[in-house]
Amino acid sequence: SAVISQKPSRDICQRGTSLTIQCQVDSQVTMMFWYRQQPGQSLTLIATANQGSEATYESGFVIDKFPISRPNLTFSTLTVSNMSPEDSSIYLCSVARTSGRAGSSNEQFFGPGTRLTVL
Amino acid sequence: GESVGLHLPTLSVQEGDNSIINCAYSNSASDYFIWYKQESGKGPQFIIDIRSNMDKRQGQRVTVLLNKTVKHLSLQIAATQPGDSAVYFCAEKSGGSNYKLTFGKGTLLTVNP
């Protein structure tokens, strides 16, 4: 499996500020994703981070609110802009790679998450 | 107004018993399914996966069953241990997408010693 680290692991921020979350992978991966997990809820895909081009956002998420960078195949950042208490969530980085195992498809692995609280 | 708090289905079992966690999916075009385990304060951890051309797959102490007729997926954990206590999510990938996963609600499994 891929080793994925995220920084910061948690933060408490003031309303109206922005926070940039970093995701680092121990090997080159084709696909990187950002998910949001609101308290007690399931995971929702925010966007696919594309290397060398603009991220692909899911319905309900926009670049102005969640700008994403992907400068190379091992690193990505997600910024949560102009935060409000409704942005309090766990933000998770995920990567996909071909497993090579018979019967499997492209496995996705998750980082430990960044727990964000907005006051 | 909207209620707050944990709305996850829960399953409570005794240590040593077998656990079965169920998941219904809606997209008949989904061709790949994954079960994840999420412990408190951690990211989801891959447990086992299955492709739509299979109906059963076994791992270490875990078995995934897929019933495409009724769009149902289950995770069976044998000899459940306290360390299995976590939230379990099923996820599906649409056949029209290479990687995009759609996650189910999750089930909270509590193992009593």
Side-chain angles (χ1 to χ4, degrees), chain A:
Chain A
S1 63
V3 177
I4 305 168
S5 60
Q6 288 185 230
K7 290 181 181 179
S9 59
R10 59 177 62 231
D11 207 342
I12 301 173
C13 300
Q14 294 298 318
R15 182 195 298 260
T17 62
S18 298
L19 175 72
T20 296
I21 302 167
Q22 298 179 4
C23 176
Q24 180 74 54
V25 191
D26 68 339
S27 58
Q28 292 186 346
V29 291
T30 305
M31 308 294 287
M32 294 181 76
F33 308 90
W34 287 98
Y35 285 81
R36 180 175 73 183
Q37 185 176 26
Q38 293 177 303
Q41 301 295 316
S42 187
L43 286 76
T44 301
L45 179 63
I46 297 173
T48 303
N50 300 310
Q51 195 264 331
S53 64
E54 192 171 284
T56 305
Y57 290 84
E58 297 300 309
S59 175
F61 298 96
V62 295
I63 188 172
D64 289 346
K65 177 66 177 178
F66 297 102
I68 289 171
S69 79
R70 176 93 189 269
N72 56 53
L73 294 176
T74 63
F75 185 79
S76 178
T77 67
L78 169 75
T79 299
V80 186
S81 303
N82 188 24
M83 289 183 283
S84 67
E86 291 71 34
D87 293 321
S88 297
S89 286
I90 300 172
Y91 291 87
L92 295 145
C93 172
S94 165
V95 304
R97 57 201 286 173
T98 304
S99 70
R101 293 185 293 112
S104 289
S105 183
N106 298 298
E107 297 179 354
Q108 281 197 31
F109 302 96
F110 285 83
T114 296
R115 185 177 295 270
L116 170 63
T117 301
V118 184
L119 302 178

Side-chain angles (χ1 to χ4, degrees), chain B residues 5-42:
Chain B
L6 205 63
H7 298 289
L8 296 176
T10 59
L11 175 65
S12 183
V13 301
Q14 291 297 122
E15 181 178 359
D17 287 352
N18 296 333
S19 302
I20 300 176
I21 301 171
N22 296 302
C23 178
Y25 65 95
S26 57
N27 188 352
S28 57
S30 293
D31 63 354
Y32 177 58
F33 305 85
I34 310 175
W35 280 100
Y36 287 94
K37 171 187 179 183
Q38 187 176 28
E39 297 175 279
S40 180
K42 298 183 179 180

